[in-house]
Amino acid sequence: MQVARSVCPLDCPDRCSLEVRLEQGRAVAIDGNHSNPLTDGFICAKVRRFTERVYGPDRLRHPMRRRGPKGEGRFERVSWDEAIDDIVSRFGAIRGESGGEAILPFNYGGSNGLLTQGAGDERLFRGIGASRLARTVCAAPSSAAAQALYGGMASVDFPDFEAARYIIIWGANPRHSNIHLMPHLKRARANGCRVALIDPRRTLGPEWIDRHLPVYPGSDAAVALAMIGHLEAIGKIDHDFLAAHTTGAEKLLQRARDWPLERAAARARVEAREIAAIAEEYAAAAPAVVRCGWGLERNRNGESAVAAVLALPAVAGKFGVRGGGYAMSAQSTYGVDRESLATMSEPPTRIINMNRLGRALLEQADPPIRALFVYNANPVSTVPDQNRICRGLAREDLFTVVFDQVMTDTARYADLLLPATTFLEHAELSISYGTYAVQLGEPVIEPVGESRSNEQVFTLLAERLGVKSDHPGGDRLVTRALAAMSGPLAGGNGSGAARDGAVLLQRLRRDGILPFDFPGRRPVQFGTALPRTGDRKAHLWPAALGPEPYRVLDPPHGKKYPLALISPATHKAISSSLAEYGFKEGYVEMHPDDAAARRLEGGQEVRVYNELGEVRVPLRLNAGVRPGVVNLPKGLWNRHTRNGAVATALVPDEISEISGGACFNDARVEVGPIPG
Ligand code: SF4
């Protein structure tokens, strides 16, 4: 038995360091190791079973060409040469007839590494003048708000939660999607820290939280503004901090006055006194930290909700101490110069919002999309308006290439299927969006079947399609990526062009990890880490969020479909990745009172439906889901429901105003028995 070191590059803030057990060249077990102190030797159950993806029945082992109707999933094996020739000739013809914009690359967070996304792929699609993709299915509103207020200031690191005396977990479920925060929460609790959870579902039990505010989806902006207004009313605004370190505070306070507790409580369908209690406890405690998740951005109020939540620590004067402030994405602190990885400047081609893929495939003109290249993504399961996407993918005149590790629901619509390596089979340089460390994963097993890495395939296609730019391969690409980071890497000698990537690569190979070199080890917001805005101040009325940064839009009216649908992540899948073995069957969760009002019983098969579609699944009763809300898990595949449709079939393809973010939680549905 051999043991090899690796890194999990999946879409998760924890970025675990891994230990892979090998027998005769096969990976037989995966667990956490201690290279990354945050991992601390344990990982989630999803990735512990990752060998089931690597060797499982869904794994793609060689290139294939479609034989049956689109979507049916019947393919015949072809060689790599045939597959590449086919792409080159189809792309060539399409570019000649309609221009490069008729080709759309489609990718998201199937891998969060720097080598498999945004490097050779970006160079290829820029080089052929393809349409550009607005990658907004997740984190667009949050990033827009954080950037606008604080310019991407470093986040509170998870170990510093132990210093906090009050924690607000807002729109996040660390038990499923950020499990390495949990030990720190536990120690914080042992130190006497109180915790409030703001979320439509009670995702943590009484051993973890003292208060639960079950806000109605889309009402977070109103609640956060009401908390700010209440802080002012009880004299708990830190005026000195606001005067010294912020701009726009008076306008924010004025807007917050529009949301008295009762008004926000009516919008959020909670008790006004509960909002007040959390605001008062938060104001009284020090240090106090807000863990802002991505749940509150999933509606048309996404940007304003995140902005109002992130403004709270400034208004209440919670910065400047270890364990005080907010935690969100850490990624901008790495300062990756992605342009140097793409090696080509962006062409001025049109931008297509990924949340409107179905509409783009069916309605886009001048030119219409004639070729789609999907990689690191499974839009049939994960992008709003599933039925419209499937109708688009079923177009006979659309040439679709899917480059993936397994036969996803999207792959079934491919004209050409290309088998991709997993992170155990290729090199990957990983940064984390939860914490501060760069890690390198090197191949620990041979590619399964004929699978190839993104880097290999995009380099080959670029060559064949005549894209010319200096794109380094192998170690040269890794050193370039390391040199492209301006964040304070430990041992980093300088930054940008001055930084020697080769030295960093040597250290990475030796230690497996490059931590950050913050003064005092971890950042203290408004202590050792300042906003990265031009004036180093927090902009509480930022122009980047439009003339009304805290506009609260009315919720979608739900007369015919009165229930708000949420579709949060679970411990069974990472978006839709790994769901092929994580889930056996989908389900919908509903409060017992809502079920009783519809004469529905737990275990019964039901239809969840609206004007866009229908999903048939068994019903689970759960008093932890607030009344008026139902929960269909994120990431199901079609095989996991009785009618082969998932939550996204019920989600409109509306987008948020500022950043074009997906509005999953604006879906309104009804639930009923199966007719007949
Ligand atoms: S998904 Fe997250 S918790 Fe699981 S192994 Fe990867 S980084 Fe760790």
Side-chain angles (χ1 to χ4, degrees):
M1 172 95 68
Q2 259 183 299
V3 178
R5 202 161 64 181
S6 187
V7 184
C8 174
L10 297 172
D11 190 353
C12 168
D14 294 14
R15 195 57 70 241
C16 289
S17 54
L18 305 177
E19 184 172 280
V20 185
R21 295 188 175 267
L22 304 163
E23 269 179 19
Q24 294 171 345
R26 275 175 77 90
V28 294
I30 302 181
D31 212 333
N33 70 15
H34 295 268
S35 309
N36 182 355
L38 188 72
T39 306
D40 199 20
F42 74 96
I43 60 169
C44 64
K46 298 170 274 206
V47 171
R48 209 172 309 117
R49 292 175 61 188
F50 192 77
T51 53
E52 294 179 46
R53 163 162 281 214
V54 178
Y55 304 114
D58 295 295
R59 183 72 198 264
L60 298 175
R61 288 178 159 75
H62 34 253
M64 291 191 281
R65 183 182 286 132
R66 176 168 67 90
R67 281 195 58 192
K70 291 205 175 196
E72 196 181 89
R74 274 200 294 138
F75 296 92
E76 64 185 2
R77 182 171 177 173
V78 294
S79 69
W80 268 105
D81 285 347
E82 285 173 276
I84 296 290
D85 284 348
D86 206 359
I87 296 170
V88 170
S89 88
R90 295 293 294 268
F91 277 20
I94 290 169
R95 284 172 78 199
E97 291 158 14
S98 310
E101 285 184 322
I103 299 168
L104 177 67
F106 193 98
N107 71 96
Y108 197 68
S111 168
N112 270 231
L114 292 179
L115 310 185
T116 47
Q117 182 166 276
D121 53 333
E122 195 64 29
R123 167 186 177 239
L124 166 69
F125 293 113
R126 288 182 180 193
I128 63 174
S131 286
R132 291 175 290 161
L133 186 72
R135 300 174 68 251
T136 49
V137 74
C138 184
S142 303
S143 306
Q147 199 64 32
L149 264 71
Y150 296 103
M153 178 169 64
S155 226
V156 174
D157 206 355
F158 301 135
D160 284 338
F161 275 59
E162 292 178 24
R165 288 295 170 273
Y166 201 76
I167 297 172
I168 300 179
I169 301 174
W170 202 317
N173 180 3
R175 209 155 60 94
H176 286 173
S177 308
N178 181 193
I179 60 171
H180 294 86
L181 178 60
M182 298 306 282
H184 303 294
L185 270 185
K186 191 173 177 181
R187 284 181 210 123
R189 297 283 284 162
N191 294 339
C193 177
R194 288 176 65 79
V195 179
L197 171 69
I198 303 181
D199 196 288
R201 290 185 309 156
R202 178 184 278 275
T203 52
L204 293 166
E207 70 278 27
W208 293 104
I209 58 170
D210 302 289
R211 290 189 180 276
H212 175 216
L213 190 69
V215 291
Y216 190 71
S219 63
D220 306 80
V223 172
L225 288 170
M227 286 172 72
I228 291 171
H230 187 58
L231 292 178
E232 186 180 34
I234 61 174
K236 293 293 183 183
I237 301 283
D238 187 337
H239 291 287
D240 291 344
F241 180 87
L242 292 181
H245 298 290
T246 70
T247 62
E250 191 42 53
K251 281 183 159 180
L252 165 62
L253 294 178
Q254 199 181 332
R255 186 59 65 252
R257 288 173 210 133
D258 293 343
W259 286 94
L261 290 171
E262 290 70 23
R263 184 180 179 208
R267 176 65 65 93
R269 306 187 188 183
V270 295
E271 299 286 338
R273 65 169 186 276
E274 287 291 317
I275 302 177
I278 293 177
E280 287 163 20
E281 289 175 2
Y282 173 69
V289 61
V290 180
R291 170 54 171 155
C292 182
W294 287 267
L296 56 156
E297 69 161 27
R298 291 157 70 101
N299 61 82
R300 288 173 310 141
N301 292 308
E303 292 90 359
S304 52
V306 176
V309 169
L310 295 188
L312 264 171
V315 169
K318 297 302 177 188
F319 289 121
V321 290
R322 190 166 295 285
Y326 69 85
M328 229 187 114
S329 176
Q331 206 154 56
S332 57
T333 315
Y334 289 78
V336 179
D337 171 13
R338 294 192 182 263
E339 291 304 298
S340 81
L341 291 177
T343 69
M344 257 198 163
S345 51
E346 251 189 320
T349 52
R350 70 184 173 193
I351 297 176
I352 306 251
N353 188 310
M354 70 190 310
N355 296 318
R356 294 200 152 147
L357 176 63
R359 214 171 280 273
L361 293 177
L362 292 170
E363 297 171 14
Q364 187 71 49
D366 296 329
I369 294 167
R370 296 180 57 195
L372 179 71
F373 195 114
V374 181
Y375 60 104
N376 299 357
N378 177 16
V380 168
S381 299
T382 57
V383 172
D385 208 352
Q386 182 187 37
N387 291 320
R388 200 188 302 261
I389 291 173
C390 291
R391 288 199 297 278
L393 290 173
R395 266 177 47 202
E396 269 306 322
D397 62 339
L398 177 72
F399 175 58
T400 302
V401 181
V402 177
F403 181 25
D404 208 322
Q405 298 160 358
V406 290
M407 181 70 87
T408 63
D409 289 324
T410 306
R412 301 176 77 81
Y413 284 88
D415 293 286
L416 259 186
L417 267 177
L418 306 179
T421 45
T422 68
F423 69 86
L424 298 182
E425 299 149 68
H426 60 234
E428 185 59 286
L429 188 67
S430 288
I431 60 177
S432 165
Y433 62 88
T435 181
Y436 302 98
V438 179
Q439 296 174 86
L440 177 68
E442 310 228 45
V444 299
I445 56 171
E446 290 297 317
V448 168
E450 295 179 6
S451 57
R452 291 186 183 178
S453 68
N454 287 20
E455 180 54 22
Q456 282 175 298
V457 171
F458 290 122
T459 302
L460 179 57
L461 281 172
E463 240 172 64
R464 292 285 308 277
L465 286 162
V467 176
K468 293 195 185 357
S469 70
D470 166 37
H471 177 72
D475 277 5
R476 283 181 58 224
L477 181 59
V478 182
T479 53
R480 180 177 288 208
L482 287 165
M485 290 181 214
S486 59
L489 290 180
N493 43 345
S495 67
R499 176 167 278 171
D500 188 339
V503 172
L504 292 174
L505 177 57
Q506 258 181 8
R507 291 177 65 103
L508 255 184
R509 287 218 160 103
R510 190 190 66 198
D511 304 336
I513 190 163
L514 280 177
F516 272 47
D517 203 8
F518 291 111
R521 276 188 70 201
R522 291 185 293 273
V524 174
Q525 294 177 319
F526 285 89
T528 55
L530 293 175
R532 294 169 11 134
T533 49
D535 56 4
R536 305 298 243 175
K537 291 186 175 187
H539 297 172
L540 299 182
W541 194 267
L545 296 184
E548 276 292 333
Y550 302 95
R551 191 147 77 99
V552 183
L553 299 167
D554 288 340
H557 84 88
K559 264 201 183 134
K560 195 162 171 202
Y561 304 108
L563 298 164
L565 172 71
I566 57 172
S567 45
T570 68
H571 62 296
K572 307 247 182 216
I574 301 163
S575 193
S576 72
S577 293
L578 318 188
E580 73 270 20
Y581 60 75
F583 279 105
K584 280 203 167 58
E585 186 173 47
Y587 54 84
V588 62
E589 287 185 324
M590 180 182 240
H591 192 278
D593 293 350
D594 285 333
R598 291 164 175 77
R599 297 170 194 252
L600 299 172
E601 290 176 6
Q604 174 183 356
E605 186 181 337
V606 294
R607 54 192 289 257
V608 187
Y609 61 97
N610 63 15
E611 71 281 10
L612 295 172
E614 171 177 316
V615 179
R616 295 185 174 197
V617 276
L619 174 65
R620 286 188 188 173
L621 303 185
N622 182 352
V625 177
R626 64 149 300 133
V629 171
V630 291
N631 166 35
L632 251 172
K634 179 181 182 179
L636 294 174
W637 288 20
N638 288 350
R639 68 172 77 158
H640 298 127
T641 68
R642 306 272 167 99
N643 66 331
V646 300
T648 51
L650 305 166
V651 175
D653 66 354
E654 274 184 75
I655 52 175
S656 66
E657 259 175 28
I658 303 293
S659 64
C663 297
F664 291 100
N665 292 356
D666 278 343
R668 296 293 179 267
V669 299
E670 182 52 286
V671 180
I674 305 294

